[in-house]
Amino acid sequence: MEERAERTNEWWQALENRVRVLEDMEEIKKLHQNYVYWLCNLQWEDMLDCFVEEAEADILGDRLVGKAAIGEFFHQVLARRVKRSDGHLVAQPVITVEGDRAEGYWILYLFFSEPEVRWLQGRQECEYVKVGGKWKIRRMKFIGPWPPPEA
């Protein structure tokens, strides 16, 4: 009887772990989707809140270290380049969660309206960390175009 209770407890623990991973994956998806929504809506401070203080980002060839540097890039570079008539969306997330850390990649589509209509397909690679019960971006790298052109 004791052995059966132990197996039942192990089964419940395994189920709880699987559910926690699925919930974490959904929270990470929402975080990233909000990040891109705020990019489209020019909400730089909301985007910045997605990052931890010691975050790193590689965006448009610029390597940024720390939340302050990332915020400066949003306000000084992206604010001049991104227009409300542009559009951005992420798709096809692949996320792996291990405890309070996760990593993943997304396909990011960037649609530009000026000076002419064009689009760019890129890959956004990320590391995430759970801080105070909330998922945040620890590292982000944009690779565009993706897949890269053949050499």
Side-chain angles (χ1 to χ4, degrees), residues 83-151:
K83 310 286 186 267
R84 284 202 188 274
S85 55
D86 294 343
H88 307 81
L89 70 103
V90 287
Q92 302 173 345
V94 177
I95 301 168
T96 304
V97 176
E98 291 186 27
D100 287 344
R101 296 196 171 277
E103 56 184 42
Y105 57 89
W106 304 71
I107 300 300
L108 175 62
Y109 294 98
L110 305 170
F111 300 91
F112 303 99
S113 59
E114 297 175 18
E116 77 257 355
V117 175
R118 62 186 179 88
W119 72 282
L120 172 66
Q121 175 178 292
R123 176 178 161 126
Q124 209 165 28
E125 298 176 350
C126 294
E127 292 175 11
Y128 305 93
V129 63
K130 199 174 203 178
V131 178
K134 291 184 71 176
W135 284 99
K136 300 277 186 172
I137 299 169
R138 163 71 185 95
R139 187 186 66 79
M140 175 183 285
K141 180 177 182 178
F142 176 74
I143 303 165
W146 191 88
E150 292 184 33

Side-chain angles (χ1 to χ4, degrees), residues 23-34:
E23 288 174 342
D24 286 340
M25 290 172 69
E26 285 304 309
E27 287 180 35
I28 290 168
K29 287 177 188 177
K30 287 178 188 175
L31 167 73
H32 209 95
Q33 290 163 345
N34 281 333

Side-chain angles (χ1 to χ4, degrees), residues 2-112:
E2 190 174 308
E3 183 179 318
R4 182 177 174 182
E6 187 175 315
R7 278 195 318 242
T8 301
N9 189 35
E10 288 174 7
W11 183 85
W12 277 109
Q13 185 64 44
L15 182 60
E16 285 176 1
N17 290 341
R18 291 175 66 192
V19 169
R20 185 173 31 257
V21 166
L22 290 172
E23 288 174 342
D24 286 340
M25 290 172 69
E26 285 304 309
E27 287 180 35
I28 290 168
K29 287 177 188 177
K30 287 178 188 175
L31 167 73
H32 209 95
Q33 290 163 345
N34 281 333
Y35 174 84
V36 174
Y37 172 84
W38 292 323
L39 172 62
C40 292
N41 206 34
L42 313 179
Q43 293 175 249
W44 313 119
E45 291 304 312
D46 290 320
M47 287 173 58
L48 189 58
D49 191 45
C50 294
F51 292 87
V52 295
E53 286 300 322
E54 66 279 2
E56 299 174 20
D58 185 344
I59 307 171
L60 302 175
D62 287 331
R63 177 136 165 72
L64 310 161
V65 178
K67 195 171 178 177
I70 295 168
E72 184 177 329
F73 180 85
F74 289 169
H75 288 285
Q76 300 301 318
V77 177
L78 288 187
R80 282 191 241 139
R81 291 187 180 185
V82 179
K83 310 286 186 267
R84 284 202 188 274
S85 55
D86 294 343
H88 307 81
L89 70 103
V90 287
Q92 302 173 345
V94 177
I95 301 168
T96 304
V97 176
E98 291 186 27
D100 287 344
R101 296 196 171 277
E103 56 184 42
Y105 57 89
W106 304 71
I107 300 300
L108 175 62
Y109 294 98
L110 305 170
F111 300 91
F112 303 99

